[in-house]
Amino acid sequence: MPKNNKFVSKKMGSNKIIGEKIKNIREMKNISVVEMAERSGLEEDQITRIEGNEDFPSLAPLIKIARVLGVRLGTFLDDQQELGPVICRRESLKCREGIGFTNNAVTKHKFMSYHALSTDKSGRHMEPFIIDVEPSKDADFVFSTHEGEEFIYVIEGTIEINYGKNVYALNEGDSIYYDSIVAHHVHAANSLPAKILGVIYTPY
């Protein structure tokens, strides 16, 4: 139990760092919350909650915020700046730490934990993650849409992807590559957890 609590604490800490970074960059660039909302299409209170670490944001609003601030999505996740290759060993604690996200900005329920694999790589255009996908009891999914592309490879379990008007079921060993500008939602199938490799590309 103590080990699990420590892991949760680290995940919460990672989310807190993201909120602080967004606020610091926004204030440094003299962009108000009102202007941020207008330019990103997000609600003012949503931005305030993200910056205040009251929400577990989804990737879609983070990508929109990054574009308004003129930074890469990875800026919110970076720890160091490494110009050469970055290796993330399986036994590394850093590779196991997770960042919790939800697909709905009005709920605090986390159904995905993202384990970033490249936070030390500077100037990167791709964001690779190992993602633990927990079952969601809510069938009324809130779809995401943002610029860029995504690649998903199923490591364990089964996932469903709502993509536009279509639904795709992916089992262990299956993969999918799609344009993320099309409304989409990724979730575990059969009320069982799953694990996936996800690579996200966002133009900068």
Side-chain angles (χ1 to χ4, degrees), residues 72-75 77 118 124-129 198-201:
R72 296 176 297 104
L73 171 63
T75 302
L77 309 174
S118 61
R124 64 187 182 277
H125 298 285
M126 298 184 295
E127 295 293 337
F129 300 94
V199 181
I200 300 169
Y201 162 76

Side-chain angles (χ1 to χ4, degrees), residues 73-106:
L73 171 63
T75 302
F76 304 143
L77 309 174
D78 289 345
D79 291 329
Q80 302 176 16
Q81 298 294 308
E82 175 59 56
L83 298 177
V86 170
I87 297 175
C88 197
R89 300 291 185 186
R90 180 176 59 180
E91 64 273 14
S92 170
L93 176 62
K94 188 171 185 178
C95 295
R96 298 199 304 270
E97 292 179 4
I99 302 172
F101 290 106
T102 175
N103 76 314
N104 189 337
V106 299

Side-chain angles (χ1 to χ4, degrees), residues 43-191:
E43 298 293 333
E44 293 178 32
D45 63 338
Q46 181 179 352
I47 295 172
T48 300
R49 292 197 307 272
I50 291 174
E51 291 186 347
N53 309 304
E54 297 177 31
D55 277 340
F56 299 99
S58 72
L59 287 175
L62 287 183
I63 291 171
K64 293 175 181 178
I65 289 172
R67 292 188 66 79
V68 172
L69 295 178
V71 299
R72 296 176 297 104
L73 171 63
T75 302
F76 304 143
L77 309 174
D78 289 345
D79 291 329
Q80 302 176 16
Q81 298 294 308
E82 175 59 56
L83 298 177
V86 170
I87 297 175
C88 197
R89 300 291 185 186
R90 180 176 59 180
E91 64 273 14
S92 170
L93 176 62
K94 188 171 185 178
C95 295
R96 298 199 304 270
E97 292 179 4
I99 302 172
F101 290 106
T102 175
N103 76 314
N104 189 337
V106 299
T107 178
K108 294 185 179 181
H109 172 66
K110 303 188 302 298
F111 76 99
M112 284 189 174
S113 291
Y114 287 67
H115 307 276
L117 302 177
S118 61
T119 55
D120 288 343
K121 175 62 179 174
S122 65
R124 64 187 182 277
H125 298 285
M126 298 184 295
E127 295 293 337
F129 300 94
I130 295 295
I131 307 171
D132 294 317
V133 187
E134 297 298 326
S136 175
K137 297 180 181 179
D138 187 3
D140 187 17
F141 300 123
V142 178
F143 284 50
S144 295
T145 176
H146 53 83
E147 295 186 51
E149 302 170 353
E150 296 182 27
F151 170 81
I152 291 175
Y153 176 87
V154 182
I155 300 173
E156 297 176 3
T158 301
I159 65 168
E160 283 187 347
I161 300 176
N162 291 70
Y163 186 76
K165 296 182 179 180
N166 299 315
V167 179
Y168 301 97
L170 274 66
N171 299 309
E172 181 176 329
D174 294 342
S175 64
I176 185 172
Y177 192 123
Y178 55 84
D179 295 313
S180 45
I181 195 65
V182 177
H184 58 279
H185 188 279
V186 179
H187 53 275
N190 305 324
S191 300

Side-chain angles (χ1 to χ4, degrees), residues 7-77:
F7 180 68
V8 172
S9 175
K10 287 183 177 296
K11 290 196 292 185
M12 293 290 289
S14 298
N15 282 92
K16 184 176 181 181
I17 291 173
I18 291 175
E20 291 176 351
K21 283 188 176 181
I22 292 173
K23 184 176 182 180
N24 289 339
I25 296 172
R26 178 180 60 75
E27 293 179 343
M28 181 181 66
K29 297 197 173 191
N30 294 317
I31 299 175
S32 68
V33 173
V34 174
E35 183 180 357
M36 173 76 79
E38 292 175 348
R39 293 171 59 183
S40 67
L42 304 175
E43 298 293 333
E44 293 178 32
D45 63 338
Q46 181 179 352
I47 295 172
T48 300
R49 292 197 307 272
I50 291 174
E51 291 186 347
N53 309 304
E54 297 177 31
D55 277 340
F56 299 99
S58 72
L59 287 175
L62 287 183
I63 291 171
K64 293 175 181 178
I65 289 172
R67 292 188 66 79
V68 172
L69 295 178
V71 299
R72 296 176 297 104
L73 171 63
T75 302
F76 304 143
L77 309 174

